[in-house]
Amino acid sequence: MRDFEYEAPASVAEAVKILSRHNGSARPLAGGTDLIDQIRTGRHAPQVVVDIKKIPELSVLELTAGGLRLGAAVPCYRMYGDPRISAAYAALADSARIIGGIQIQSRASVGGNLCNSGPAADSTPSLIALGAVAVIAGPAGQREVAVENFCTGPGKNVLAPGEFLVELKLPPRLPHSGSHYRRFIPRNEMDIAVVGVAASVVLDGSGEKFVSARVALGAVGPTPLFANEVGKLLAGQPVNEQTIAKAADAARAIARPIDDMRGTKEFRLHVTGVLTRRVIEESVQRARS
Amino acid sequence: MAKRRVVTTTINGRQTEFLCEPRQTLLEVLRDTLDLTGAKEGCANGNCGACTVLMNGRPVDSCLVLGVETEGAVLETIEGVAPVDGLDPIQQAFLENAALQCGICTPGFIMSCKSLLAENSDPTENDIRFYLAGNLCRCTGYDKIVRAVLDAAKKRNAEPAPA
Ligand SMILES: Cc1cc2nc3c(=O)[nH]c(=O)nc-3n(C[C@H](O)[C@H](O)[C@H](O)COP(=O)(O)OP(=O)(O)OC[C@H]3O[C@@H](n4cnc5c(N)ncnc54)[C@H](O)[C@@H]3O)c2cc1C
Ligand code: FES
Ligand code: FES
Protein backbone atom coordinates (compact mmCIF):
# COMPACT_ATOMS: atom_id res chain seq x y z
CA MET A 1 0.00 0.00 0.00
CA ARG A 2 1.04 3.61 -0.55
CA ASP A 3 2.96 5.23 2.27
CA PHE A 4 1.16 7.53 4.74
CA GLU A 5 1.52 8.87 8.26
CA TYR A 6 -0.87 7.80 11.02
CA GLU A 7 -2.23 10.02 13.77
CA ALA A 8 -4.74 9.09 16.47
CA PRO A 9 -5.88 12.30 18.19
CA ALA A 10 -7.73 12.05 21.50
CA SER A 11 -9.95 15.12 21.11
CA VAL A 12 -12.12 16.85 18.52
CA ALA A 13 -9.96 19.99 18.74
CA GLU A 14 -6.76 18.05 18.11
CA ALA A 15 -8.33 16.24 15.14
CA VAL A 16 -9.45 19.54 13.61
CA LYS A 17 -5.92 20.88 14.05
CA ILE A 18 -4.35 17.91 12.26
CA LEU A 19 -6.94 17.93 9.47
CA SER A 20 -6.57 21.70 8.94
CA ARG A 21 -2.80 21.59 8.98
CA HIS A 22 -2.80 19.14 6.07
CA ASN A 23 -5.41 21.04 4.13
CA GLY A 24 -7.15 18.24 2.30
CA SER A 25 -4.31 15.71 2.24
CA ALA A 26 -5.37 14.14 5.55
CA ARG A 27 -8.31 11.71 5.78
CA PRO A 28 -10.29 10.53 8.77
CA LEU A 29 -10.26 6.79 9.42
CA ALA A 30 -13.29 5.27 11.14
CA GLY A 31 -13.80 1.54 10.48
CA GLY A 32 -11.59 1.62 7.40
CA THR A 33 -13.88 -0.68 5.43
CA ASP A 34 -14.04 1.83 2.58
CA LEU A 35 -10.89 3.86 3.19
CA ILE A 36 -8.23 1.14 3.43
CA ASP A 37 -9.20 -0.39 0.10
CA GLN A 38 -9.50 3.07 -1.48
CA ILE A 39 -5.91 3.81 -0.45
CA ARG A 40 -4.74 0.43 -1.66
CA THR A 41 -6.30 0.91 -5.08
CA GLY A 42 -5.14 4.53 -5.37
CA ARG A 43 -8.57 6.17 -5.32
CA HIS A 44 -7.44 8.18 -2.31
CA ALA A 45 -3.84 9.11 -1.60
CA PRO A 46 -3.84 10.81 1.81
CA GLN A 47 -0.52 11.86 3.31
CA VAL A 48 -1.97 11.41 6.76
CA VAL A 49 -4.61 9.00 7.99
CA VAL A 50 -6.32 10.38 11.08
CA ASP A 51 -7.77 7.59 13.23
CA ILE A 52 -10.76 9.23 14.92
CA LYS A 53 -11.80 6.26 17.06
CA LYS A 54 -9.87 7.46 20.14
CA ILE A 55 -12.00 10.62 20.38
CA PRO A 56 -14.66 9.95 23.06
CA GLU A 57 -17.48 11.85 21.26
CA LEU A 58 -17.08 9.64 18.21
CA SER A 59 -17.94 6.49 20.21
CA VAL A 60 -21.00 7.87 21.98
CA LEU A 61 -24.17 5.82 21.61
CA GLU A 62 -26.70 7.36 23.93
CA LEU A 63 -30.47 7.10 24.01
CA THR A 64 -32.23 9.71 26.15
CA ALA A 65 -35.55 11.54 26.24
CA GLY A 66 -33.90 14.03 23.88
CA GLY A 67 -33.31 11.39 21.22
CA LEU A 68 -30.31 9.37 20.02
CA ARG A 69 -26.71 10.53 19.91
CA LEU A 70 -24.77 8.33 17.52
CA GLY A 71 -21.00 8.95 17.46
CA ALA A 72 -19.64 9.04 13.93
CA ALA A 73 -17.32 6.06 14.49
CA VAL A 74 -19.74 3.71 16.29
CA PRO A 75 -19.60 0.36 14.45
CA CYS A 76 -22.80 -1.16 13.05
CA TYR A 77 -22.95 -4.10 15.44
CA ARG A 78 -23.39 -1.81 18.44
CA MET A 79 -26.55 -0.39 16.94
CA TYR A 80 -28.46 -3.58 16.35
CA GLY A 81 -26.95 -5.05 19.53
CA ASP A 82 -28.95 -2.63 21.65
CA PRO A 83 -32.62 -3.72 21.79
CA ARG A 84 -33.83 -0.26 22.83
CA ILE A 85 -32.16 1.35 19.85
CA SER A 86 -33.28 -1.32 17.39
CA ALA A 87 -36.83 -0.81 18.60
CA ALA A 88 -36.87 3.00 18.54
CA TYR A 89 -34.76 3.49 15.40
CA ALA A 90 -35.68 0.30 13.58
CA ALA A 91 -34.80 1.53 10.08
CA LEU A 92 -31.26 2.30 11.21
CA ALA A 93 -30.91 -1.12 12.83
CA ASP A 94 -32.22 -2.70 9.59
CA SER A 95 -29.44 -0.90 7.70
CA ALA A 96 -26.72 -1.76 10.20
CA ARG A 97 -27.64 -5.45 9.97
CA ILE A 98 -27.12 -5.65 6.20
CA ILE A 99 -24.00 -3.56 5.62
CA GLY A 100 -21.46 -6.19 4.53
CA GLY A 101 -21.08 -9.35 6.57
CA ILE A 102 -20.35 -9.76 10.26
CA GLN A 103 -16.66 -8.84 9.94
CA ILE A 104 -17.54 -5.59 8.17
CA GLN A 105 -20.21 -4.79 10.79
CA SER A 106 -17.60 -5.13 13.56
CA ARG A 107 -15.85 -2.07 12.13
CA ALA A 108 -18.01 -0.18 9.62
CA SER A 109 -19.69 2.94 10.99
CA VAL A 110 -22.82 4.79 9.94
CA GLY A 111 -20.69 7.95 9.98
CA GLY A 112 -18.23 6.42 7.53
CA ASN A 113 -21.10 5.23 5.34
CA LEU A 114 -22.42 8.80 5.22
CA CYS A 115 -19.02 10.48 4.69
CA ASN A 116 -18.08 8.04 1.93
CA SER A 117 -21.21 9.48 0.29
CA GLY A 118 -21.96 6.65 -2.11
CA PRO A 119 -25.37 6.87 -3.80
CA ALA A 120 -26.20 3.33 -2.61
CA ALA A 121 -25.04 3.73 1.02
CA ASP A 122 -27.45 1.60 3.04
CA SER A 123 -27.69 3.67 6.21
CA THR A 124 -28.13 7.13 4.70
CA PRO A 125 -31.79 6.72 3.62
CA SER A 126 -32.58 5.53 7.15
CA LEU A 127 -30.86 8.55 8.69
CA ILE A 128 -32.86 10.83 6.39
CA ALA A 129 -36.16 9.09 7.12
CA LEU A 130 -35.49 9.33 10.85
CA GLY A 131 -34.71 13.04 10.61
CA ALA A 132 -31.04 12.82 11.59
CA VAL A 133 -28.79 15.87 11.79
CA ALA A 134 -25.03 15.72 11.19
CA VAL A 135 -22.86 17.53 13.74
CA ILE A 136 -19.70 18.74 12.00
CA ALA A 137 -16.56 20.13 13.66
CA GLY A 138 -14.07 22.36 11.87
CA PRO A 139 -11.67 25.26 12.25
CA ALA A 140 -14.60 27.68 12.60
CA GLY A 141 -16.31 25.62 15.33
CA GLN A 142 -19.29 23.29 15.08
CA ARG A 143 -22.20 23.40 12.66
CA GLU A 144 -25.20 21.19 11.98
CA VAL A 145 -26.50 19.97 8.63
CA ALA A 146 -29.64 17.90 8.05
CA VAL A 147 -28.52 14.56 6.61
CA GLU A 148 -30.65 15.05 3.46
CA ASN A 149 -28.41 18.03 2.64
CA PHE A 150 -25.11 16.31 3.46
CA CYS A 151 -24.25 14.45 0.24
CA THR A 152 -23.74 16.62 -2.85
CA GLY A 153 -22.81 14.03 -5.49
CA PRO A 154 -21.29 10.56 -5.82
CA GLY A 155 -18.44 10.53 -3.26
CA LYS A 156 -19.00 14.24 -2.50
CA ASN A 157 -20.40 16.02 0.54
CA VAL A 158 -20.56 19.34 2.35
CA LEU A 159 -17.44 18.76 4.48
CA ALA A 160 -14.88 21.51 3.87
CA PRO A 161 -11.12 20.96 4.36
CA GLY A 162 -10.38 20.67 8.07
CA GLU A 163 -13.93 19.57 8.87
CA PHE A 164 -15.12 16.16 9.98
CA LEU A 165 -18.30 14.50 11.21
CA VAL A 166 -18.52 14.19 15.00
CA GLU A 167 -21.92 12.64 15.55
CA LEU A 168 -25.45 12.18 14.28
CA LYS A 169 -28.37 13.43 16.33
CA LEU A 170 -31.74 11.76 15.91
CA PRO A 171 -34.94 13.18 17.36
CA PRO A 172 -36.84 11.12 19.96
CA ARG A 173 -39.19 8.46 18.70
CA LEU A 174 -42.78 9.66 18.80
CA PRO A 175 -45.68 7.52 20.07
CA HIS A 176 -47.38 5.45 17.32
CA SER A 177 -44.35 5.70 15.03
CA GLY A 178 -42.44 3.04 13.14
CA SER A 179 -39.66 2.83 10.57
CA HIS A 180 -38.09 0.38 8.16
CA TYR A 181 -35.30 0.10 5.58
CA ARG A 182 -35.18 -2.47 2.85
CA ARG A 183 -33.06 -2.85 -0.27
CA PHE A 184 -33.23 -4.97 -3.38
CA ILE A 185 -30.14 -7.06 -4.16
CA PRO A 186 -29.88 -10.16 -6.34
CA ARG A 187 -28.20 -12.13 -3.51
CA ASN A 188 -29.36 -12.55 0.07
CA GLU A 189 -26.48 -10.60 1.62
CA MET A 190 -23.10 -8.97 0.89
CA ASP A 191 -24.12 -6.93 -2.16
CA ILE A 192 -24.65 -3.31 -3.19
CA ALA A 193 -28.24 -2.04 -3.26
CA VAL A 194 -29.93 -1.84 -6.67
CA VAL A 195 -32.56 0.26 -4.90
CA GLY A 196 -32.96 1.00 -1.19
CA VAL A 197 -35.94 2.65 0.51
CA ALA A 198 -36.35 3.89 4.08
CA ALA A 199 -39.54 5.18 5.67
CA SER A 200 -40.56 6.48 9.04
CA VAL A 201 -44.24 7.04 9.78
CA VAL A 202 -46.21 8.56 12.63
CA LEU A 203 -49.85 7.43 13.00
CA ASP A 204 -52.64 8.87 15.09
CA GLY A 205 -53.88 7.13 18.24
CA SER A 206 -56.28 4.91 16.29
CA GLY A 207 -53.46 3.67 14.05
CA GLU A 208 -55.65 4.33 11.00
CA LYS A 209 -54.33 7.69 9.86
CA PHE A 210 -50.89 9.04 8.91
CA VAL A 211 -49.96 12.07 10.98
CA SER A 212 -46.66 12.50 9.16
CA ALA A 213 -44.08 10.46 7.25
CA ARG A 214 -40.57 10.73 5.85
CA VAL A 215 -39.33 8.59 2.98
CA ALA A 216 -35.82 8.43 1.46
CA LEU A 217 -34.50 6.57 -1.57
CA GLY A 218 -31.05 5.06 -2.21
CA ALA A 219 -29.26 4.10 -5.45
CA VAL A 220 -31.71 5.97 -7.68
CA GLY A 221 -29.85 9.26 -7.96
CA PRO A 222 -26.37 10.79 -7.62
CA THR A 223 -26.97 10.97 -3.84
CA PRO A 224 -29.47 9.35 -1.50
CA LEU A 225 -32.72 11.29 -2.07
CA PHE A 226 -35.15 12.74 0.44
CA ALA A 227 -38.60 12.08 -1.07
CA ASN A 228 -40.27 15.02 0.64
CA GLU A 229 -43.34 14.86 -1.65
CA VAL A 230 -44.10 11.33 -0.53
CA GLY A 231 -44.26 12.35 3.11
CA LYS A 232 -46.45 15.35 2.31
CA LEU A 233 -48.79 13.15 0.35
CA LEU A 234 -49.21 10.71 3.23
CA ALA A 235 -49.75 13.27 5.98
CA GLY A 236 -53.39 13.41 7.12
CA GLN A 237 -54.44 10.51 4.88
CA PRO A 238 -56.10 7.27 6.01
CA VAL A 239 -53.87 4.20 6.15
CA ASN A 240 -55.10 2.12 3.22
CA GLU A 241 -53.99 0.56 -0.04
CA GLN A 242 -54.87 3.57 -2.20
CA THR A 243 -52.94 6.03 -0.07
CA ILE A 244 -49.89 3.80 -0.05
CA ALA A 245 -50.15 3.14 -3.80
CA LYS A 246 -50.17 6.90 -4.41
CA ALA A 247 -47.09 7.27 -2.23
CA ALA A 248 -45.31 4.55 -4.24
CA ASP A 249 -46.14 6.40 -7.48
CA ALA A 250 -44.81 9.63 -6.01
CA ALA A 251 -41.56 7.90 -5.02
CA ARG A 252 -41.14 6.64 -8.60
CA ALA A 253 -41.62 10.16 -9.87
CA ILE A 254 -38.79 11.40 -7.63
CA ALA A 255 -36.32 8.60 -8.46
CA ARG A 256 -33.75 9.48 -11.12
CA PRO A 257 -31.98 6.18 -11.67
CA ILE A 258 -29.35 5.34 -14.26
CA ASP A 259 -28.73 2.15 -16.23
CA ASP A 260 -25.76 0.17 -14.98
CA MET A 261 -24.60 -3.40 -14.44
CA ARG A 262 -26.88 -3.72 -11.40
CA GLY A 263 -30.09 -2.82 -13.16
CA THR A 264 -31.74 -0.81 -15.87
CA LYS A 265 -33.50 2.47 -15.30
CA GLU A 266 -36.95 0.92 -15.87
CA PHE A 267 -36.23 -1.92 -13.49
CA ARG A 268 -35.03 0.48 -10.79
CA LEU A 269 -38.13 2.62 -11.17
CA HIS A 270 -40.35 -0.42 -10.85
CA VAL A 271 -38.47 -1.65 -7.78
CA THR A 272 -38.63 1.82 -6.22
CA GLY A 273 -42.43 1.62 -6.33
CA VAL A 274 -42.58 -1.91 -4.96
CA LEU A 275 -40.13 -1.24 -2.14
CA THR A 276 -41.77 2.04 -1.17
CA ARG A 277 -45.08 0.26 -0.75
CA ARG A 278 -43.58 -2.58 1.29
CA VAL A 279 -41.46 -0.30 3.44
CA ILE A 280 -44.41 1.94 4.31
CA GLU A 281 -46.56 -1.11 5.08
CA GLU A 282 -43.92 -2.53 7.41
CA SER A 283 -43.41 0.85 9.10
CA VAL A 284 -47.17 0.99 9.72
CA GLN A 285 -47.07 -2.50 11.25
CA ARG A 286 -44.23 -1.45 13.52
CA ALA A 287 -46.03 1.77 14.49
CA ARG A 288 -49.10 -0.23 15.48
CA SER A 289 -47.25 -2.76 17.61
CA MET B 1 8.81 6.85 4.42
CA ALA B 2 6.54 7.11 7.46
CA LYS B 3 8.23 6.18 10.71
CA ARG B 4 7.77 2.65 11.98
CA ARG B 5 6.00 2.33 15.28
CA VAL B 6 6.12 -0.10 18.12
CA VAL B 7 2.71 -1.65 18.70
CA THR B 8 1.87 -3.69 21.79
CA THR B 9 -0.97 -6.20 21.59
CA THR B 10 -2.04 -9.47 23.12
CA ILE B 11 -2.11 -12.25 20.55
CA ASN B 12 -3.52 -15.62 21.54
CA GLY B 13 -3.07 -14.78 25.19
CA ARG B 14 0.53 -13.65 24.92
CA GLN B 15 1.71 -10.04 25.04
CA THR B 16 3.28 -9.31 21.67
CA GLU B 17 5.21 -6.28 20.46
CA PHE B 18 5.91 -5.59 16.85
CA LEU B 19 7.28 -2.82 14.66
CA CYS B 20 5.17 -1.73 11.73
CA GLU B 21 4.68 1.01 9.18
CA PRO B 22 1.29 2.77 9.20
CA ARG B 23 0.51 1.38 5.76
CA GLN B 24 0.87 -2.26 6.81
CA THR B 25 -2.37 -4.10 7.39
CA LEU B 26 -2.86 -6.38 10.36
CA LEU B 27 -2.89 -9.29 7.92
CA GLU B 28 0.55 -8.30 6.60
CA VAL B 29 1.89 -7.91 10.13
CA LEU B 30 0.55 -11.30 11.20
CA ARG B 31 1.86 -13.14 8.18
CA ASP B 32 5.07 -11.31 7.27
CA THR B 33 6.33 -9.97 10.60
CA LEU B 34 4.98 -12.40 13.18
CA ASP B 35 5.03 -15.52 11.04
CA LEU B 36 1.43 -16.30 11.96
CA THR B 37 0.47 -17.50 8.49
CA GLY B 38 -2.82 -19.14 9.44
CA ALA B 39 -4.86 -16.10 8.39
CA LYS B 40 -4.95 -16.12 4.58
CA GLU B 41 -5.14 -13.42 1.96
CA GLY B 42 -7.89 -14.24 -0.50
CA CYS B 43 -8.97 -10.86 -1.83
CA ALA B 44 -7.30 -8.15 0.30
CA ASN B 45 -10.49 -6.06 0.14
CA GLY B 46 -12.89 -7.39 2.74
CA ASN B 47 -14.97 -9.69 0.57
CA CYS B 48 -13.74 -13.22 1.25
CA GLY B 49 -13.15 -13.47 5.01
CA ALA B 50 -10.07 -15.73 4.63
CA CYS B 51 -8.16 -13.24 6.80
CA THR B 52 -10.71 -13.24 9.65
CA VAL B 53 -9.27 -12.88 13.16
CA LEU B 54 -10.92 -11.80 16.40
CA MET B 55 -10.07 -8.30 17.62
CA ASN B 56 -11.30 -7.56 21.14
CA GLY B 57 -13.64 -10.52 20.73
CA ARG B 58 -15.19 -9.39 17.42
CA PRO B 59 -14.50 -10.98 14.03
CA VAL B 60 -12.73 -8.57 11.64
CA ASP B 61 -11.16 -8.85 8.20
CA SER B 62 -7.50 -8.32 9.10
CA CYS B 63 -6.84 -7.04 5.56
CA LEU B 64 -9.03 -4.03 6.44
CA VAL B 65 -7.34 -3.18 9.74
CA LEU B 66 -4.07 -1.26 9.99
CA GLY B 67 -1.43 -2.87 12.19
CA VAL B 68 -1.06 0.44 14.07
CA GLU B 69 -4.75 0.37 14.96
CA THR B 70 -4.24 -2.72 17.12
CA GLU B 71 -2.27 -0.93 19.87
CA GLY B 72 -3.67 -2.31 23.13
CA ALA B 73 -5.99 -4.76 21.36
CA VAL B 74 -6.59 -8.40 22.23
CA LEU B 75 -6.25 -10.54 19.11
CA GLU B 76 -7.09 -14.17 18.51
CA THR B 77 -5.94 -16.03 15.42
CA ILE B 78 -6.41 -19.59 14.20
CA GLU B 79 -3.04 -20.49 15.76
CA GLY B 80 -4.56 -20.02 19.22
CA VAL B 81 -7.69 -22.10 18.69
CA ALA B 82 -6.53 -25.68 19.36
CA PRO B 83 -5.78 -26.69 22.94
CA VAL B 84 -2.28 -28.21 23.46
CA ASP B 85 -3.61 -31.74 23.49
CA GLY B 86 -5.82 -31.84 20.41
CA LEU B 87 -8.37 -29.85 18.48
CA ASP B 88 -11.15 -27.44 19.31
CA PRO B 89 -14.63 -28.97 18.83
CA ILE B 90 -15.12 -26.64 15.86
CA GLN B 91 -11.95 -27.93 14.17
CA GLN B 92 -12.95 -31.50 14.98
CA ALA B 93 -16.39 -30.93 13.43
CA PHE B 94 -14.87 -29.45 10.24
CA LEU B 95 -12.66 -32.53 9.91
CA GLU B 96 -15.41 -35.06 10.59
CA ASN B 97 -17.87 -33.36 8.25
CA ALA B 98 -15.34 -32.93 5.43
CA ALA B 99 -15.99 -29.19 5.50
CA LEU B 100 -12.79 -28.35 3.66
CA GLN B 101 -10.98 -29.22 0.48
CA CYS B 102 -8.06 -26.90 -0.28
CA GLY B 103 -8.38 -25.35 3.18
CA ILE B 104 -7.58 -21.74 2.24
CA CYS B 105 -10.90 -20.49 3.61
CA THR B 106 -10.90 -22.73 6.70
CA PRO B 107 -9.04 -20.54 9.23
CA GLY B 108 -11.39 -17.68 8.46
CA PHE B 109 -14.49 -19.86 8.72
CA ILE B 110 -13.33 -21.28 12.04
CA MET B 111 -12.69 -17.84 13.52
CA SER B 112 -16.11 -16.57 12.40
CA CYS B 113 -17.68 -19.75 13.70
CA LYS B 114 -15.97 -19.30 17.08
CA SER B 115 -17.49 -15.87 17.33
CA LEU B 116 -20.92 -17.10 16.20
CA LEU B 117 -21.00 -19.87 18.80
CA ALA B 118 -19.82 -17.50 21.52
CA GLU B 119 -22.81 -15.26 20.72
CA ASN B 120 -25.33 -17.97 19.97
CA SER B 121 -24.66 -21.47 21.29
CA ASP B 122 -27.55 -23.06 19.40
CA PRO B 123 -27.78 -21.41 15.96
CA THR B 124 -30.25 -22.48 13.28
CA GLU B 125 -29.12 -23.24 9.74
CA ASN B 126 -30.38 -19.81 8.74
CA ASP B 127 -28.46 -18.08 11.56
CA ILE B 128 -25.31 -19.84 10.40
CA ARG B 129 -25.73 -18.94 6.73
CA PHE B 130 -26.38 -15.31 7.58
CA TYR B 131 -23.49 -15.05 10.05
CA LEU B 132 -21.00 -16.69 7.67
CA ALA B 133 -22.00 -14.58 4.64
CA GLY B 134 -18.68 -12.73 4.89
CA ASN B 135 -16.69 -15.95 4.43
CA LEU B 136 -16.37 -17.36 0.93
CA CYS B 137 -15.38 -20.88 -0.06
CA ARG B 138 -14.59 -21.68 -3.66
CA CYS B 139 -14.32 -25.46 -3.47
CA THR B 140 -16.17 -27.26 -0.70
CA GLY B 141 -19.60 -25.73 -1.12
CA TYR B 142 -21.43 -24.34 1.85
CA ASP B 143 -23.63 -27.28 2.85
CA LYS B 144 -20.85 -29.27 4.43
CA ILE B 145 -19.58 -26.18 6.21
CA VAL B 146 -23.02 -25.38 7.59
CA ARG B 147 -23.45 -28.98 8.71
CA ALA B 148 -20.05 -28.86 10.42
CA VAL B 149 -21.07 -25.74 12.33
CA LEU B 150 -24.34 -27.36 13.44
CA ASP B 151 -22.31 -30.36 14.57
CA ALA B 152 -19.75 -28.15 16.35
CA ALA B 153 -22.54 -26.47 18.28
CA LYS B 154 -23.87 -29.87 19.32
CA LYS B 155 -20.40 -31.04 20.37
CA ARG B 156 -19.76 -27.91 22.36
CA ASN B 157 -23.11 -28.05 24.08
CA ALA B 158 -22.52 -31.69 25.05
CA GLU B 159 -19.12 -30.93 26.56
CA PRO B 160 -18.79 -29.69 30.13
CA ALA B 161 -17.81 -25.99 30.12
CA PRO B 162 -14.04 -25.55 30.45
CA ALA B 163 -13.01 -24.71 34.02
C1 LIG C 1 -17.08 -6.48 1.77
C2 LIG C 1 -17.75 -5.15 1.92
C3 LIG C 1 -19.14 -5.09 1.92
C4 LIG C 1 -19.79 -3.86 2.06
N1 LIG C 1 -21.15 -3.85 2.07
C5 LIG C 1 -21.81 -2.67 2.16
C6 LIG C 1 -23.23 -2.65 2.15
O1 LIG C 1 -23.90 -3.68 2.09
N2 LIG C 1 -23.85 -1.44 2.23
C7 LIG C 1 -23.15 -0.28 2.31
O2 LIG C 1 -23.76 0.78 2.38
N3 LIG C 1 -21.80 -0.28 2.35
C8 LIG C 1 -21.11 -1.44 2.27
N4 LIG C 1 -19.74 -1.45 2.28
C9 LIG C 1 -19.01 -0.19 2.35
C10 LIG C 1 -18.56 0.23 3.77
O3 LIG C 1 -18.45 -0.88 4.62
C11 LIG C 1 -19.52 1.23 4.38
O4 LIG C 1 -19.61 2.38 3.58
C12 LIG C 1 -19.12 1.63 5.81
O5 LIG C 1 -20.23 2.12 6.51
C13 LIG C 1 -18.00 2.65 5.88
O6 LIG C 1 -17.74 2.96 7.23
P1 LIG C 1 -16.27 2.93 7.86
O7 LIG C 1 -16.43 3.28 9.29
O8 LIG C 1 -15.58 1.67 7.57
O9 LIG C 1 -15.61 4.14 7.05
P2 LIG C 1 -14.11 4.44 6.59
O10 LIG C 1 -13.68 3.48 5.57
O11 LIG C 1 -13.24 4.60 7.79
O12 LIG C 1 -14.36 5.87 5.94
C14 LIG C 1 -15.13 6.04 4.76
C15 LIG C 1 -14.89 7.42 4.18
O13 LIG C 1 -15.45 8.42 5.00
C16 LIG C 1 -14.45 9.26 5.56
N5 LIG C 1 -14.81 9.41 6.97
C17 LIG C 1 -15.05 8.41 7.86
N6 LIG C 1 -15.48 8.92 9.02
C18 LIG C 1 -15.49 10.26 8.87
C19 LIG C 1 -15.85 11.34 9.73
N7 LIG C 1 -16.26 11.12 10.98
N8 LIG C 1 -15.76 12.61 9.26
C20 LIG C 1 -15.35 12.82 7.98
N9 LIG C 1 -15.00 11.85 7.12
C21 LIG C 1 -15.08 10.58 7.57
C22 LIG C 1 -13.13 8.55 5.34
O14 LIG C 1 -12.04 9.46 5.21
C23 LIG C 1 -13.42 7.80 4.06
O15 LIG C 1 -13.27 8.63 2.95
C24 LIG C 1 -19.05 -2.67 2.17
C25 LIG C 1 -17.65 -2.73 2.19
C26 LIG C 1 -17.00 -3.95 2.07
C27 LIG C 1 -15.50 -4.00 2.09
S1 FES D 1 -8.31 -11.23 2.37
FE1 FES D 1 -9.36 -10.10 3.84
S2 FES D 1 -11.41 -10.42 3.29
FE2 FES D 1 -10.37 -11.40 1.68
S1 FES E 1 -11.89 -25.30 0.94
FE1 FES E 1 -11.00 -24.33 -0.77
S2 FES E 1 -11.86 -22.37 -0.65
FE2 FES E 1 -12.91 -23.37 0.89
Side-chain angles (χ1 to χ4, degrees), chain B residues 101-103 105 137-140:
Chain B
Q101 285 185 24
C102 78
C105 66
C137 174
R138 296 306 299 272
C139 38
T140 306

mmCIF file of all heavy atoms in Angstrom, chain B residues 101-103 105 137-140, ligand 3:
data_model
loop_
_atom_site.group_PDB
_atom_site.id
_atom_site.type_symbol
_atom_site.label_atom_id
_atom_site.label_comp_id
_atom_site.label_asym_id
_atom_site.label_seq_id
_atom_site.Cartn_x
_atom_site.Cartn_y
_atom_site.Cartn_z
ATOM 1 N N GLN B 101 -11.733 -28.517 1.525
ATOM 2 C CA GLN B 101 -10.982 -29.224 0.478
ATOM 3 C C GLN B 101 -9.584 -28.633 0.426
ATOM 4 O O GLN B 101 -8.656 -29.154 1.014
ATOM 5 C CB GLN B 101 -11.709 -29.134 -0.852
ATOM 6 C CG GLN B 101 -12.930 -30.061 -0.860
ATOM 7 C CD GLN B 101 -13.619 -30.116 -2.200
ATOM 8 O OE1 GLN B 101 -13.028 -29.852 -3.244
ATOM 9 N NE2 GLN B 101 -14.884 -30.461 -2.186
ATOM 10 N N CYS B 102 -9.418 -27.464 -0.232
ATOM 11 C CA CYS B 102 -8.063 -26.896 -0.276
ATOM 12 C C CYS B 102 -7.674 -26.288 1.063
ATOM 13 O O CYS B 102 -6.495 -26.199 1.380
ATOM 14 C CB CYS B 102 -7.949 -25.858 -1.392
ATOM 15 S SG CYS B 102 -8.668 -24.260 -0.956
ATOM 16 N N GLY B 103 -8.662 -25.833 1.844
ATOM 17 C CA GLY B 103 -8.377 -25.349 3.185
ATOM 18 C C GLY B 103 -8.030 -23.874 3.302
ATOM 19 O O GLY B 103 -7.861 -23.367 4.414
ATOM 20 N N CYS B 105 -9.862 -21.279 2.937
ATOM 21 C CA CYS B 105 -10.901 -20.492 3.611
ATOM 22 C C CYS B 105 -11.100 -20.920 5.051
ATOM 23 O O CYS B 105 -11.778 -20.237 5.812
ATOM 24 C CB CYS B 105 -12.231 -20.667 2.858
ATOM 25 S SG CYS B 105 -12.872 -22.360 2.962
ATOM 26 N N CYS B 137 -16.110 -19.650 0.212
ATOM 27 C CA CYS B 137 -15.382 -20.881 -0.064
ATOM 28 C C CYS B 137 -15.569 -21.193 -1.528
ATOM 29 O O CYS B 137 -16.698 -21.206 -2.007
ATOM 30 C CB CYS B 137 -15.916 -22.028 0.789
ATOM 31 S SG CYS B 137 -15.167 -23.607 0.341
ATOM 32 N N ARG B 138 -14.491 -21.429 -2.231
ATOM 33 C CA ARG B 138 -14.592 -21.683 -3.662
ATOM 34 C C ARG B 138 -14.579 -23.161 -4.001
ATOM 35 O O ARG B 138 -14.689 -23.513 -5.153
ATOM 36 C CB ARG B 138 -13.454 -20.974 -4.431
ATOM 37 C CG ARG B 138 -13.486 -19.477 -4.354
ATOM 38 C CD ARG B 138 -14.809 -18.887 -4.782
ATOM 39 N NE ARG B 138 -15.159 -19.173 -6.152
ATOM 40 C CZ ARG B 138 -14.805 -18.452 -7.205
ATOM 41 N NH1 ARG B 138 -14.093 -17.362 -7.039
ATOM 42 N NH2 ARG B 138 -15.165 -18.770 -8.424
ATOM 43 N N CYS B 139 -14.347 -24.060 -3.044
ATOM 44 C CA CYS B 139 -14.322 -25.457 -3.472
ATOM 45 C C CYS B 139 -15.210 -26.413 -2.704
ATOM 46 O O CYS B 139 -15.743 -27.341 -3.298
ATOM 47 C CB CYS B 139 -12.904 -26.001 -3.607
ATOM 48 S SG CYS B 139 -11.669 -25.510 -2.451
ATOM 49 N N THR B 140 -15.417 -26.244 -1.428
ATOM 50 C CA THR B 140 -16.173 -27.258 -0.696
ATOM 51 C C THR B 140 -17.673 -27.151 -0.957
ATOM 52 O O THR B 140 -18.371 -28.151 -1.017
ATOM 53 C CB THR B 140 -15.920 -27.117 0.822
ATOM 54 O OG1 THR B 140 -14.527 -27.142 1.036
ATOM 55 C CG2 THR B 140 -16.568 -28.228 1.599
HETATM 56 S S1 FES C 3 -11.891 -25.299 0.941
HETATM 57 FE FE1 FES C 3 -10.995 -24.333 -0.773
HETATM 58 S S2 FES C 3 -11.864 -22.367 -0.655
HETATM 59 FE FE2 FES C 3 -12.910 -23.367 0.891
#
